[in-house]
Amino acid sequence: MSKAAKVAEFDKKMFRKKGFHKKLGKADYAILIILTIYAVLIIYPFYNAFLISISTEQAYLSNAFMLWPKQLSGEAYQTVFTSDLLLSGYLITIYRVVLGVAINLIFTILAGYVLSRDNFFGKNFVMNMIIVTIFFGGGLIPYYNLILSLGFKNSPLVLIIPGAIDTFNMLLVRNYFYSIPKELEEAAKIDGANDIQTLFKVFVPVAMPVIATVGLFYAVGHWNEWFNSFLFIDEQKLKPLQLVLREIIVDTTSSLGPTPSGKPSFTEGVKMASIYFTMLPVMLIYPFVQKHFVRGIMVGALKG
Amino acid sequence: MRVQTLTKLKKNNKKKHYKLTLKELGSSIVQNKYLYIMIAPCVAFYIIFSYFPMYGIILAFKDYYPNLGIAASPWVGWDNFRYLFEQEQFWRVLRNTVLISVGRIALGSIVPIIIALLINELSIRFRKYKRVVQTVYTFPKFLSWVIIAGIVRELFANRGAVNGIIFAFGGEPVNFLSKGGFFIPLLFVSDLWKEAGWASIIYLASMSGIDIGLYEAAEIDGANRWQKMRNITLPHIKPLFILLLILSMGSILSAGFDQIFNLYNPLVYDVSDIIDTYVYRLAFGTAAATNPGISTALGLFKSVISFFLLLFTDRVAKMTGERGVI
């Protein structure tokens, strides 16, 4: 049978198996409608926030429930784009994502590799030592004191070093390394490679899918993290984006001040514009990387 | 090969309780020296950031003076705990934590299954649409609570969209964010809004593993859609459901710090103040409210209880024949 014929045969089989031949009943339409309503419930709050961010204050005050824009205004975005706070927040956040993920991956891969090797004496001891930290910690004040004594207060390092390894991500990578056939390692060793060479020349390329997934998890984590910076950073120019956003949203005292033209700004509009400013990168990238996140949860679910 | 012999040695080790001699151990370490070099920074990381702070647990048994430091502050035995348990505030916080957690766990285990069932039952003809709604459902999971709290605060503000709808129907505006009766449901709804779609993915993955032959056989026997769902799909995801429920038991005393901390205000402390937020305010709140010793004691109380809850539920799960988590 030719390849094309095989494909056609397969398609036919799948067609029957998956129910293409079935007629759509009432239940099918009911399901479609329920799922659509739920999707609208997820989307509307974002849409409403967007409408508020491009509206005038009068439109907002007359009724915040809108289905389409009423009186357009770009002032909120003007305020946001000219705000030094948000811009420096963006730079700090990009810095922490790039450098942070690099450090995360190095630490995670090293730990994951060594802990997946049977010839590492003390594997069980180190594993247990790490597992315990999932369940037990010192608490807020001891952690705070530790960071202060390391001199990390108001240091960009506090955004990167204390979160260098996420234990769950590390275990994900470790389990993947563990499932790689021993022959691959042995072949590399016969060729005279040491462990560092084996790891980076053999294991890392093979494990690239899972490493990409873990890297994305770390990247989102860095983009969204706010509590560490909330505790340890009070210098304005070092605050990451989420912290700046939090101040705009939660602390009523701090705001971005008047619009560039000098009029008092429309607070709600500026809040919503800042939210869009902060989540836009995640929003744009997410549809393309969704499958990697889903793969992560599958691997984790099967192994853990 | 050296690698092979060592693996074999290890295997023998398990069977015959064969112990490595010191000499063999030494040569193994020399042979694999890179492994030890590679793991060193990681072990150092865990020692510094996880184990050093554990030393600070002794704060729970001390009267802490910042100018004296942890070591020199006077010991007070169980006084911090005694004081804590006498406080009405403690019982209120504990009750809030458990109530909010139970509600979250109950809703958070059922709603994702419903979503997954609906997506699973959606006709294959809408497969492209299926992919779109899945992207929509899972997206909020990847935003921080800071962002979600901003949107929720806006939506339920006095002049926000929800009150806009109420107003359009001639109702009186409701102050959702500062009334206890509304605030807790708001916590549940916003939590589901953020997490439920993502949580449904894992069930969907499990459902996609069901043998299609089972459904076909059921169809031949004349089963309808509902019967197939009840007798094939639901039994298949039951073990996963139980496993996830056990996992959530260990976190019953964490009722969602990020969410509550970004949403609550003093008007709803009565119903929404949980252990984690109280620990935070005891540590860093207004000067009059802070007490580091009590804060650490409360944190320790939480860790110990959570740990035993996890052990307990794991044991129960293993007894009922399910796969444990530890």
Side-chain angles (χ1 to χ4, degrees):
Chain A
M1 221 189 308
S2 74
K3 199 181 168 198
K6 261 187 195 165
V7 170
E9 175 83 355
F10 181 77
D11 278 355
K12 223 169 135 190
K13 231 173 157 180
M14 290 315 284
F15 190 82
R16 187 184 64 79
K17 263 198 172 172
K18 290 194 167 171
F20 273 104
H21 62 292
K22 283 182 196 155
K23 270 202 179 136
L24 291 175
K26 269 185 197 154
D28 288 298
Y29 288 109
I31 290 169
L32 190 68
I33 290 167
I34 296 172
L35 288 177
T36 307
I37 291 173
Y38 189 57
V40 169
L41 287 178
I42 301 273
I43 293 172
Y44 184 74
F46 290 117
Y47 180 60
N48 186 255
F50 180 66
L51 290 183
I52 291 171
S53 74
I54 57 167
S55 290
T56 60
E57 191 157 17
Q58 290 92 315
Y60 171 78
L61 289 178
S62 75
N63 195 334
F65 177 72
M66 296 180 259
L67 292 176
W68 49 81
K70 278 186 243 170
Q71 300 164 12
L72 288 177
S73 154
E75 262 176 26
Y77 284 98
Q78 257 178 13
T79 314
V80 164
F81 281 118
T82 49
S83 148
D84 290 342
L85 259 181
L86 278 167
L87 290 179
S88 74
Y90 233 99
L91 291 180
I92 292 285
T93 299
I94 289 171
Y95 145 85
R96 75 177 290 180
V97 168
V98 173
L99 209 63
V101 171
I103 287 187
N104 287 144
L105 284 181
I106 292 172
F107 272 72
T108 303
I109 288 171
L110 287 180
Y113 175 74
V114 176
L115 291 174
S116 69
R117 296 304 91 197
D118 279 331
N119 46 351
F120 167 49
F121 181 83
K123 185 178 86 170
N124 289 339
F125 175 75
V126 176
M127 264 310 251
N128 288 334
M129 185 188 121
I130 290 174
I131 301 279
V132 166
T133 65
I134 298 178
F135 301 114
F136 239 79
L140 202 52
I141 293 171
Y143 175 68
Y144 186 80
N145 288 345
L146 171 77
I147 298 292
L148 290 199
S149 59
L150 287 173
F152 280 178
K153 175 108 185 166
N154 276 325
S155 149
L157 287 178
V158 80
L159 305 175
I160 291 170
I161 305 293
I165 305 182
D166 176 90
T167 303
F168 283 103
N169 284 341
M170 192 275 286
L171 291 179
L172 211 69
V173 171
R174 179 223 173 236
N175 286 340
Y176 196 88
F177 281 154
Y178 202 75
S179 70
I180 293 175
K182 298 274 175 286
E183 288 77 15
L184 220 55
E185 185 195 350
E186 281 161 22
K189 291 277 166 71
I190 289 170
D191 289 343
N194 62 33
D195 275 302
I196 295 177
Q197 289 162 329
T198 315
L199 171 59
F200 287 102
K201 297 235 166 86
V202 180
F203 276 64
V204 168
V206 171
M208 221 48 214
V210 85
I211 291 174
T213 300
V214 166
L216 281 170
F217 276 129
Y218 276 130
V220 174
H222 274 297
W223 191 271
N224 286 337
E225 200 282 325
W226 59 276
F227 191 60
N228 243 346
S229 29
F230 174 72
L231 284 182
F232 300 113
I233 293 192
D234 39 35
E235 236 174 81
Q236 289 296 346
K237 64 179 199 306
L238 285 177
K239 287 182 179 172
L241 197 49
Q242 298 283 344
L243 190 55
V244 177
L245 180 69
R246 188 177 185 279
E247 286 173 359
I248 293 172
I249 288 169
V250 179
D251 303 347
T252 39
T253 46
S254 138
S255 102
L256 296 181
T259 53
S261 51
K263 282 183 290 181
S265 58
F266 162 36
T267 334
E268 305 302 320
V270 171
K271 281 182 184 178
M272 295 305 112
S274 317
I275 283 179
Y276 266 86
F277 189 68
T278 307
M279 77 177 175
L280 201 66
V282 185
M283 217 171 194
L284 292 180
I285 296 169
Y286 182 68
F288 302 101
V289 296
Q290 188 209 7
K291 58 176 190 285
H292 295 282
F293 289 118
V294 172
R295 185 168 50 216
I297 197 177
M298 309 280 194
V299 176
L302 292 177
K303 297 283 166 55
Chain B
M1 275 281 76
R2 183 67 201 169
V3 190
Q4 255 175 333
T5 44
L6 254 170
T7 350
K8 269 186 195 152
L9 235 153
K10 269 268 173 176
K11 273 178 192 153
N12 289 339
N13 205 351
K14 267 183 197 148
K15 274 179 200 155
K16 297 179 193 164
H17 299 282
Y18 174 81
K19 284 214 163 169
L20 284 167
T21 64
L22 222 53
K23 204 177 155 198
E24 278 170 321
L25 175 61
S27 71
S28 153
I29 290 179
V30 172
Q31 192 80 32
N32 300 297
K33 57 183 178 297
Y34 286 113
L35 290 181
Y36 299 88
I37 296 172
M38 286 152 89
I39 197 74
C42 307
V43 170
F45 168 82
Y46 277 102
I47 289 177
I48 294 173
F49 289 102
S50 297
Y51 282 88
F52 274 9
M54 280 189 206
Y55 158 77
I57 287 175
I58 60 168
L59 256 185
F61 305 97
K62 288 195 165 205
D63 193 7
Y64 180 60
Y65 294 97
N67 49 344
L68 287 181
I70 294 177
S73 293
W75 290 95
V76 292
W78 293 93
D79 275 7
N80 284 335
F81 290 91
R82 214 168 287 137
Y83 175 82
L84 189 63
F85 295 148
E86 280 165 8
Q87 294 290 305
E88 206 185 311
Q89 176 96 340
F90 166 78
W91 297 104
R92 195 182 74 185
V93 164
L94 185 62
R95 188 200 65 203
N96 289 344
T97 308
V98 173
L99 284 181
I100 294 175
S101 265
V102 169
R104 281 165 68 108
I105 291 173
L107 288 169
S109 356
I110 294 164
V111 175
I113 292 185
I114 297 174
I115 299 171
L117 283 174
L118 285 169
I119 295 179
N120 193 47
E121 289 290 322
L122 189 65
S123 165
I124 185 78
R125 292 195 199 181
F126 303 122
R127 64 197 181 288
K128 282 196 182 123
Y129 186 66
K130 188 189 273 189
R131 234 170 283 149
V132 173
V133 291
Q134 267 180 290
T135 307
V136 170
Y137 292 175
T138 51
F139 174 65
K141 161 84 186 171
F142 295 92
L143 299 175
S144 67
W145 269 114
V146 174
I147 291 179
I148 309 262
I151 292 176
V152 169
R153 277 162 173 264
E154 178 52 55
L155 215 52
F156 291 92
N158 284 343
R159 308 212 67 133
V162 173
N163 272 323
I165 298 175
I166 293 175
F167 179 73
F169 282 99
E172 281 294 307
V174 182
N175 204 342
F176 291 101
L177 289 160
S178 48
K179 284 231 175 65
F182 289 110
F183 190 77
I184 301 302
L186 196 62
L187 288 182
F188 293 151
V189 170
S190 57
D191 186 50
L192 284 177
W193 188 79
K194 184 179 194 287
E195 308 280 342
W198 178 252
S200 72
I201 294 284
I202 191 162
Y203 285 110
L204 268 175
S206 164
M207 287 173 193
S208 71
I210 301 176
D211 182 7
I212 269 180
L214 284 175
Y215 289 114
E216 284 176 340
E219 270 166 45
I220 291 167
D221 290 343
N224 62 27
R225 181 192 287 252
W226 177 247
Q227 286 166 325
K228 279 188 284 179
M229 200 159 98
R230 255 190 52 193
N231 298 311
I232 301 173
T233 319
L234 286 181
H236 183 84
I237 58 172
K238 194 182 144 208
L240 181 63
F241 172 75
I242 291 174
L243 180 76
L244 293 179
L245 205 59
I246 295 169
L247 279 173
S248 59
M249 284 302 139
S251 59
I252 207 161
L253 292 186
S254 314
F257 176 81
D258 278 26
Q259 178 190 22
I260 294 175
F261 193 69
N262 284 313
L263 277 174
Y264 78 164
N265 58 67
L267 289 174
V268 287
Y269 277 180
D270 250 4
V271 290
S272 66
D273 198 14
I274 55 168
I275 292 181
D276 287 336
T277 50
Y278 191 43
V279 165
Y280 172 83
R281 289 208 315 283
L282 279 172
F284 306 114
T286 48
T290 54
N291 188 332
I294 306 285
S295 173
T296 312
L298 183 53
L300 182 61
F301 169 82
K302 185 194 149 193
S303 304
V304 171
I305 301 280
S306 302
F307 186 62
F308 281 106
L309 269 175
L310 193 77
L311 284 185
F312 174 72
T313 42
D314 181 65
R315 189 61 55 83
V316 170
K318 277 176 184 155
M319 266 176 1
T320 55
E322 298 292 343
R323 190 168 65 131
V325 285
I326 305 175

